[in-house]
Amino acid sequence: MNKSAVLASFMALCVSGGNVLAQSKISDDVVRIGVLTDMSGQFSHESGEGSVTAVKMAVQDFGGKVLGKPIEVIVADHQNKPDVAATRAREWFDTRGVDMVTNLINSAVALSVVNVAREKNRIAIVNGSGSSRLTGDGCTPNSIHYAYDTYALATGTAKALIGQKLDSWYFLTADYAFGHSLEADAVQVVKAAGGNVVGSLRYPVDASDHSSFLLQAQASKAKVVAMAGSGKGFVNAMKAASEFGLTQGKQTIAGLLVWDTDIHALGLKEAQGLVLTTAFYWDRDDATRAWSKRFNEKMKRMPHMGDAGDYSSTMHYLKAVQAAGTDEAGAVMTKMREMPINDFFATNGHIRADGRMVHDMYVYKVKKPSESKYAWDYMTLLKTIPADQAFRPLAESKCPLVRK
């Protein structure tokens, strides 16, 4: 064999060895993503099959492989029970080789699971839950809060309404971690802007009869009745508010977390006039419409911010694995923080030290039935909140990872 042939053989061996080395950096030769969500309970319309579909769309669009290894998606229903969610996440990390867990709707569930991810050195990306504690005292080096949080929702909606001289507020709050966080963040904004909180009432998260709560809110004569809840509870409360005439009277209803699916379930006749803050609306621009139409083909409904966040964050995660050359959590988290997010969901989004993905937020008003021109034409944009104003400043963060 001549020198050229020997050199060629040597180079081929080096390339082959390098490829084997690169491939060996993927644990179990598979990148596994676990969608831990509510598949059957009161938050299933805000997560569930929509979340699974969005994640699978991202995997398909990425090509189904990363670093030459297949990407697998597994799914479980956490039943809105933190202990069930933590047990399942631990099982996934210990025995199923799951590298990243996502969606995590229900704030108590999310706060529980992010700690399991930290313990097991895996990654948790939260799109379903909103509690700002996830980037506050509940932050971890292994978790990202991606789509929205209670601070952003409360800040956008409260400032918009107080700017209209709607400065007296009464809170109807779902009695669980998310509702408490949403109320606390909104109260802070209302008071800072010179508004007045005239009262509040906490209702059981699974309550079906809201009549007594709404009568108290109506009797308060507050200019704004703020609904600090989500899921079927919020929809039931809004239907009752319409029956009692709150939506047609002198009081303004503020939905502190309103999903597009909530508006669809209510119908514009009952939802009209609602002011809300969101991270995503399907009909915002050409890019949101293009992706949303693809999602609609699969789900037979338009996506909301949770769905869009699940897709965007999964794509960002896979790009980070590709860039890091491994699925090891620390290396991937470093790349996720380094790389900007530019897609239909966010422009120049970035992940801070506290795990907050910072991006623009939007204040919308729900249209009257006469204003809607086509299916899912539900909202009118009132204001865009720039990324640097939308989320709690790092200087105010209680996250121990943030240097003061």
Side-chain angles (χ1 to χ4, degrees):
M1 183 180 292
N2 61 36
K3 290 182 179 180
S4 297
V6 171
L7 180 60
S9 298
F10 176 73
M11 292 299 294
L13 181 62
C14 288
V15 170
S16 174
N19 287 340
V20 171
L21 181 61
Q23 291 173 1
S24 70
K25 293 181 180 179
I26 296 298
S27 57
D28 301 329
D29 288 332
V30 178
V31 172
R32 290 190 180 87
I33 298 171
V35 183
L36 191 53
T37 187
D38 178 0
M39 296 296 295
S40 57
Q42 68 164 308
F43 303 121
S44 57
H45 290 169
E46 291 78 34
S47 55
E49 289 295 343
S51 174
V52 175
T53 297
V55 170
K56 287 184 175 180
M57 284 176 66
V59 170
Q60 182 179 15
D61 289 351
F62 196 82
K65 291 184 177 182
V66 58
L67 297 173
K69 299 299 183 181
I71 306 164
E72 180 183 341
V73 177
I74 62 175
V75 180
D77 186 344
H78 57 51
Q79 304 170 39
N80 290 304
K81 297 176 181 179
D83 56 337
V84 170
T87 298
R88 179 52 58 91
R90 187 169 283 108
E91 174 197 344
W92 276 358
F93 295 147
D94 286 345
T95 66
R96 297 292 300 276
V98 168
D99 301 291
M100 184 270 279
V101 62
T102 192
N103 187 256
L104 301 175
I105 199 164
N106 185 315
S107 292
V109 163
L111 288 163
S112 176
V113 171
V114 297
N115 284 316
V116 178
R118 174 174 57 183
E119 173 192 338
K120 300 297 181 179
N121 192 35
R122 305 297 169 85
I123 293 173
I125 303 178
V126 182
N127 282 296
S129 306
S131 175
S132 58
R133 285 190 58 203
L134 287 160
T135 51
D137 61 353
C139 75
T140 82
N142 293 71
S143 55
I144 296 168
H145 205 182
Y146 200 88
Y148 74 100
D149 65 25
T150 53
Y151 180 92
L153 297 180
T155 298
T157 303
K159 285 186 175 180
L161 291 175
I162 290 176
Q164 300 174 28
K165 309 300 182 184
L166 300 173
D167 53 5
S168 61
W169 288 56
Y170 187 95
F171 286 86
L172 285 177
T173 302
D175 193 10
Y176 72 121
F178 170 77
H180 302 169
S181 182
L182 193 52
E183 179 186 342
D185 286 333
V187 166
Q188 183 180 7
V189 174
V190 169
K191 290 183 176 180
N196 181 33
V197 178
V198 301
S200 64
L201 185 151
R202 291 181 175 177
Y203 61 87
V205 68
D206 57 352
S208 57
D209 183 1
H210 294 78
S211 56
S212 63
F213 313 138
L214 289 162
L215 285 171
Q216 292 183 59
Q218 195 171 39
S220 74
K221 300 189 183 302
K223 294 178 183 177
V224 178
V225 176
M227 303 284 196
S230 183
K232 292 179 181 177
F234 169 78
V235 172
N236 290 337
M238 279 299 303
K239 287 180 177 178
S242 179
E243 291 172 5
F244 279 89
L246 269 71
T247 56
Q248 291 81 39
K250 295 181 180 180
Q251 292 174 303
T252 294
I253 306 296
L256 296 184
L257 172 56
V258 183
W259 304 91
D260 302 51
T261 45
D262 295 336
I263 299 171
H264 188 74
L266 286 165
L268 291 182
K269 182 178 179 181
E270 293 186 328
Q272 62 182 309
L274 263 175
V275 175
L276 60 102
T277 301
T278 185
F280 173 86
Y281 179 46
W282 78 270
D283 206 12
R284 189 178 75 232
D285 57 36
D286 289 343
T288 60
R289 283 187 285 272
W291 182 81
S292 298
K293 288 176 180 178
R294 291 178 54 217
F295 180 91
N296 184 42
E297 289 173 359
K298 296 177 181 293
M299 284 296 297
K300 308 307 177 188
R301 68 164 174 82
M302 286 300 180
H304 50 57
M305 63 179 169
D307 304 317
D310 281 323
Y311 178 98
S312 177
S313 60
T314 300
M315 287 291 286
H316 189 60
Y317 167 76
L318 293 172
K319 289 176 182 177
V321 172
Q322 184 78 46
T326 178
D327 60 358
E328 192 277 321
V332 175
M333 286 293 296
T334 296
K335 287 297 180 182
M336 291 185 79
R337 291 191 182 97
E338 290 175 355
M339 298 163 59
I341 296 116
N342 284 294
D343 58 14
F344 68 89
F345 180 80
T347 302
N348 295 323
H350 66 277
I351 297 167
R352 302 189 312 197
D354 60 352
R356 176 68 259 164
M357 201 282 267
V358 177
H359 52 83
D360 293 348
M361 295 288 288
Y362 307 91
V363 182
Y364 282 91
K365 185 175 182 178
V366 178
K367 292 181 175 182
K368 298 176 182 178
S370 60
E371 296 171 331
S372 179
K373 305 304 180 186
Y374 41 85
W376 292 86
D377 177 23
Y378 291 156
M379 297 193 285
T380 299
L381 180 65
L382 298 180
K383 180 181 179 182
T384 298
I385 307 171
D388 60 353
Q389 300 174 27
F391 297 94
R392 177 175 279 115
L394 278 179
E396 299 176 10
S397 176
K398 295 181 180 179
C399 173
L401 302 173
V402 176
R403 294 181 181 179
K404 300 295 179 65

